[in-house]
Amino acid sequence: MNLAHNKIHCLVIPFPTQGHINPMLQFSKRLQHKGIEITLVPTIYIFNKSMQELTSSITIEPISDGYDDVNGLFGAKSIETYLESHQKVGSQALIQLIEKLKNKGNPINCVIYDSFMPWILDVAKMFGLVSGVFFTMSCAVENIFYHIQLKELKLPVEGHDQVLLPGLLQPLVPSDLPSFVNDMGSYPPFLKMLVDQFSNIQEADWILCNTIYELEKHEVDWITKRLRLRTIGPTIPSMYVDKRLENDNSYGLSIYKPKTDVCMKWLSDCDDGSVVYVSFGSMAELKEEQMKEIACGLNKSNHNFLWVVRESEEPKIPKDFLDNIKREKGLIVTWCPQLDVLSHKAIGCFMTHCGWNSTLEALSMGVPMVAIPIWTDQCTNAKYVMDIWEMGIKAQANEKGVVEQEVVEHCIREVMEGERGKEIRKNATKWREVTKKAMDEGGSSDRNINEFIDKLVL
Ligand code: UDP
């Protein structure tokens, strides 16, 4: 540890959802390990729901976003209402927190904030603090939104067969674009939020992206000619990657309670590589018809499966499927310890929505994927999984946007049994090594994290 590092104190401020807290918490642990003092700033709702159980020694200072009660941001009338409140209430609370820490003799030098909240840059500037904006999505996805902000990609994209952008390695068909871009009418406030990430980006001192240079060379080279972006991923507990942070084997917080014992016991009775792990993350909502097709596809594939279905999604599971699952064939749980599951030798493939964390976790653990993207950046991640990293297959949806059971069955068989599966599994192993190397001492992400810290000291 550089002695000067312990004079630095960073505030780390994630957006209040599981997929945003995990990477920023993990990045905080990396900085702390290198001697930086960290204060993590979740919302009061997130703190009450999950953070009291956090095992790491990181200091936590929750602030209000105006939605402190039982449902947090899900209690807001609309996403616009929430974002407005978050900015208004959150910026006041943040100002008070920075002043409080200064008065206590523990002042802040740097604010690292989720790119979904560009208004935090104004607060950092007000206090003359170093600012680091944190991207939780892939560089390819960020490049797409940057092209939109620069007006180099004109919306809507309707009528185009392909979109070819200088910041992307390959042309994309519209359905490979983030869903808010391909279908502009679907969630206009989200589209605005993602484009607005770049509204003041030139003024941020640092841009930290949770990806790996070797995964997205073209994309990273393109953006770093324009912005001071550094790749610092994968932000996965160290014991699954480089093993340099002792005992760091879980994110340490979970909004939902994992059924750890049940899952691990069940997996330990399964043969190596025999299980399809199925999960659509913390937010995606599937159509009832899609749930049925997945259930039937799993059945037809005849492989073992461990399926995470959140409580709110449970009523969509076909009743006869539930009644007939044989205990030795399948297990359905409301939440699982995903890292432990993905790294278990019984897992043969991961049927995933391709949330960016899940994708990075599968890449880091060398688990082949069957991609069923539901919305947002997942559509672009699925394209990269299949065509660029060639470590999975994207299941093709029909004209109603549903992946049919025959397709589910076929994709599982391809990855678990077929000739193509062999190649996919070989690539998965290759990416696992690349990912680990990036976090090893002197690896591309490790160097970038050190550079960021060294410049903070100067
Ligand atoms: N996760 C988990 N248990 C589960 C399902 C998901 O711990 O049963 C974790 C997973 O490891 C990942 C995060 O939840 O870190 C989900 O993030 P992702 O970006 O993949 O998807 P999102 O939930 O944001 O759609």
Side-chain angles (χ1 to χ4, degrees):
M1 186 207 302
N2 179 332
L3 272 184
H5 290 178
N6 63 11
K7 298 206 177 79
I8 302 171
H9 184 183
C10 282
L11 277 192
V12 177
I13 314 172
F15 192 75
T17 58
Q18 185 84 58
H20 286 246
I21 297 165
N22 283 3
M24 292 191 75
L25 170 61
Q26 210 49 45
F27 185 62
S28 301
K29 291 187 205 166
R30 285 272 165 198
L31 294 184
Q32 191 187 43
H33 182 68
K34 289 175 186 278
I36 306 292
E37 181 179 351
I38 300 289
T39 297
L40 188 74
V41 188
T43 59
I44 289 175
Y45 161 74
I46 292 290
F47 176 75
N48 289 339
K49 196 153 165 83
S50 54
M51 284 217 163
Q52 283 153 330
E53 290 165 27
L54 189 66
T55 45
S56 92
S57 59
I58 285 174
T59 309
I60 308 223
E61 286 278 1
I63 59 170
S64 181
D65 55 0
Y67 288 87
D68 303 341
D69 65 8
V70 281
N71 292 320
L73 78 94
F74 298 104
K77 251 195 346 248
S78 67
I79 187 70
E80 289 104 318
T81 321
Y82 174 76
L83 294 174
E84 236 173 71
S85 161
H86 195 187
Q87 172 163 357
K88 200 162 145 225
V89 180
S91 55
Q92 282 315 309
L94 188 57
I95 290 170
Q96 283 166 14
L97 173 63
I98 295 173
E99 279 169 347
K100 181 178 100 177
L101 291 169
K102 191 169 155 202
N103 294 338
K104 270 172 66 180
N106 189 17
I108 302 298
N109 315 88
C110 170
V111 178
I112 301 173
Y113 61 96
D114 193 308
S115 58
F116 281 16
M117 305 177 287
W119 48 268
I120 294 181
L121 183 62
D122 298 335
V123 179
K125 293 247 172 258
M126 199 165 131
F127 288 94
L129 303 172
V130 176
S131 53
V133 48
F134 192 101
F135 283 147
T136 59
M137 294 183 178
S138 77
C139 189
V141 168
E142 297 300 353
N143 285 2
I144 294 170
F145 289 108
Y146 191 30
H147 281 286
I148 298 173
Q149 204 260 345
L150 293 172
K151 304 209 172 358
E152 288 174 11
L153 171 59
K154 298 252 169 21
L155 299 184
V157 290
E158 274 156 34
H160 291 265
D161 293 338
Q162 278 199 331
V163 173
L164 179 57
L165 299 173
L168 299 184
L169 182 64
Q170 286 188 9
L172 303 183
V173 295
S175 58
D176 292 333
L177 288 164
S179 63
F180 312 139
V181 178
N182 180 31
D183 182 4
M184 271 181 76
S186 57
Y187 293 92
F190 284 128
L191 174 61
K192 181 176 178 320
M193 179 171 73
L194 285 154
V195 176
D196 282 353
Q197 294 178 105
F198 294 92
S199 57
N200 56 6
I201 200 107
Q202 299 284 357
E203 292 159 51
D205 296 307
W206 289 91
I207 301 159
L208 306 163
C209 185
N210 180 21
T211 189
I212 302 149
Y213 175 66
E214 289 77 5
L215 269 187
E216 302 192 88
K217 282 186 184 165
H218 175 92
E219 288 72 7
V220 176
D221 287 342
W222 180 81
I223 200 164
T224 48
K225 288 198 186 100
R226 290 150 187 87
L227 299 173
R228 198 176 187 184
L229 178 138
R230 296 291 184 272
T231 55
I232 50 80
T235 54
I236 291 174
S238 173
M239 292 312 282
Y240 296 95
V241 198
D242 57 304
K243 300 190 171 52
R244 286 195 291 156
L245 274 63
E246 230 173 281
N247 300 326
D248 180 32
N249 48 24
S250 78
Y251 289 108
L253 89 119
S254 197
I255 296 178
Y256 303 102
K257 204 153 181 48
K259 306 281 185 249
T260 306
D261 292 345
V262 182
C263 292
M264 300 324 280
K265 162 84 189 65
W266 186 83
L267 285 175
S268 69
D269 290 337
C270 295
D271 291 339
D272 289 3
S274 70
V275 177
V276 183
Y277 168 53
V278 189
S279 168
F280 295 90
S282 63
M283 300 194 55
E285 293 172 4
L286 276 66
K287 294 178 189 155
E288 195 160 335
E289 191 184 348
Q290 182 63 84
M291 292 287 272
K292 177 170 167 249
E293 295 301 312
I294 289 172
C296 296
L298 284 169
N299 240 345
K300 285 186 169 164
S301 82
N302 212 26
H303 284 285
N304 299 331
F305 63 87
L306 167 55
W307 187 3
V308 174
V309 181
R310 300 190 316 276
E311 223 167 284
S312 55
E313 295 283 284
E314 269 178 337
K316 299 178 190 168
I317 309 174
K319 172 109 181 39
D320 53 341
F321 178 75
L322 275 181
D323 293 342
N324 293 327
I325 302 177
K326 293 198 188 69
R327 179 81 180 153
E328 64 276 14
K329 246 327 163 250
L331 178 67
I332 298 183
V333 292
T334 48
W335 197 249
C336 80
Q338 180 159 303
L339 297 168
D340 292 332
V341 168
L342 282 177
S343 59
H344 198 286
K345 58 185 184 348
I347 298 299
C349 86
F350 182 14
M351 183 175 283
T352 170
H353 67 316
C354 285
W356 186 234
N357 294 293
S358 294
T359 305
L360 278 180
E361 289 162 13
L363 279 157
S364 302
M365 289 178 215
V367 181
M369 291 178 255
V370 172
I372 304 190
I374 309 295
W375 70 327
T376 180
D377 60 330
Q378 297 152 20
C379 311
T380 315
N381 299 341
K383 155 82 183 168
Y384 274 65
V385 164
M386 177 152 112
D387 292 335
I388 296 182
W389 305 317
E390 296 177 331
M391 67 166 292
I393 296 180
K394 180 179 167 189
Q396 207 51 54
N398 64 18
E399 64 293 342
K400 286 194 298 181
V402 173
V403 176
E404 292 169 11
Q405 50 192 276
E406 292 74 19
V407 179
V408 171
E409 178 196 358
H410 173 76
C411 290
I412 293 174
R413 286 190 186 279
E414 277 280 278
V415 173
M416 300 276 279
E417 304 163 16
E419 270 308 300
R420 192 170 166 199
K422 266 193 206 152
E423 203 49 39
I424 286 176
R425 289 194 292 277
K426 208 170 89 196
N427 289 334
T429 308
K430 178 187 86 184
W431 287 119
R432 186 183 64 202
E433 293 312 310
V434 169
T435 308
K436 179 183 168 302
K437 271 200 189 126
M439 289 318 266
D440 276 343
E441 195 159 0
S444 56
S445 292
D446 184 59
R447 282 199 311 274
N448 287 338
I449 296 171
N450 287 340
E451 183 200 354
F452 170 65
I453 293 174
D454 289 343
K455 294 270 166 62
L456 287 179
V457 177
L458 294 178

